[in-house]
Amino acid sequence: MNFTSDAERCRTKGWQAGTRLVGDEGHGPTIIRLTAIGKHDILAVAESHNGVPARYESERTWTLLMRDWKEVKP
């Protein structure tokens, strides 16, 4: 399915602020937590990479294009 934006992808999949996603770009899985879904862009916080907690919990824009993101179920 082709999406026009990361925000559209989130809305279509039912992902919202608080949703945790995991994706692997070939260097180990990264887990992010969505903090905001805008008109076109999304904001998220990195929680961990390759099983190691993220050093900084800075919120920033993310793109979902380079990884096959899946929701992390509680």
Side-chain angles (χ1 to χ4, degrees):
M1 178 177 252
N2 292 332
F3 300 100
T4 59
S5 70
D6 292 322
E8 178 191 17
R9 175 178 291 203
C10 289
R11 285 190 290 274
T12 300
K13 292 187 173 272
W15 298 342
Q16 54 193 332
T19 299
R20 295 172 69 230
L21 304 175
V22 63
D24 191 336
E25 195 175 34
H27 306 286
T30 298
I31 296 178
I32 63 172
R33 179 176 30 86
L34 300 174
T35 57
I37 311 297
K39 185 174 180 180
H40 300 285
D41 299 316
I42 63 171
L43 293 175
V45 172
E47 291 189 345
S48 67
H49 175 71
N50 214 16
V52 178
R55 291 184 185 189
Y56 306 101
E57 221 179 273
S58 298
E59 179 181 62
R60 64 181 181 97
T61 58
W62 279 80
T63 183
L64 302 177
L65 294 176
M66 304 311 255
R67 303 173 196 190
D68 182 21
W69 292 97
K70 305 283 186 207
E71 185 172 355
V72 176
K73 298 293 183 177

